[in-house]
Amino acid sequence: MGHPLEDLIDARIRAAQQDGAFDDLPGQGAPLPPEEDPENALISRLMRENGAVPEFVSLSRTLEQLRAELAETGDRTRRSEILKEMSMMDARIDLARKAYRR
């Protein structure tokens, strides 16, 4: 059984075709551009369009902030905490990179 909205969607597409909404579109008749990752093409496009980044990228940015804070801090207790956070962040980045490659 399909999604309950399939019939409505199909009807709207047919109506748009009859009204000529798909006539003279740019690239009409041309092959689609090749996709590096066709299984995740939609997700990748949506992420790009919305400024999202893979988890390992955002974690790497956080790690850079920790490094900057470490360079600015003279408090030994805080430096120790930052070093622990950095160590954990390195491990999280490694796991996120491995998950992203799958």
Side-chain angles (χ1 to χ4, degrees):
M1 187 166 112
H3 191 279
L5 294 177
E6 278 184 28
D7 291 337
L8 174 64
I9 293 167
D10 288 339
R12 291 216 175 154
I13 290 172
R14 279 192 302 279
Q17 284 173 325
Q18 289 172 354
D19 293 342
F22 301 122
D23 295 347
D24 301 321
L25 292 174
Q28 184 175 5
L32 293 173
E35 247 333 297
E36 287 182 28
D37 184 8
E39 288 183 7
N40 295 313
L42 176 62
I43 292 171
S44 296
R45 190 188 90 221
L46 290 172
M47 287 179 65
R48 270 192 317 275
E49 289 174 357
N50 291 290
V53 294
E55 182 183 22
F56 71 88
V57 173
S58 61
L59 292 173
S60 295
R61 291 175 182 166
T62 303
L63 180 60
E64 287 304 314
Q65 292 170 347
L66 288 170
R67 286 183 178 140
E69 186 180 349
L70 180 66
E72 294 173 5
T73 244
D75 179 10
R76 294 181 80 166
T77 303
R78 181 60 189 139
R79 287 180 66 82
S80 177
E81 291 170 356
I82 293 171
L83 288 170
K84 287 178 188 174
E85 288 179 54
M86 288 173 62
S87 178
M88 291 299 293
M89 193 62 60
D90 277 331
R92 289 180 63 194
I93 290 169
D94 188 47
L95 289 172
R97 278 194 178 122
K98 287 178 183 173
Y100 184 76
R101 289 184 190 134
R102 289 186 195 162

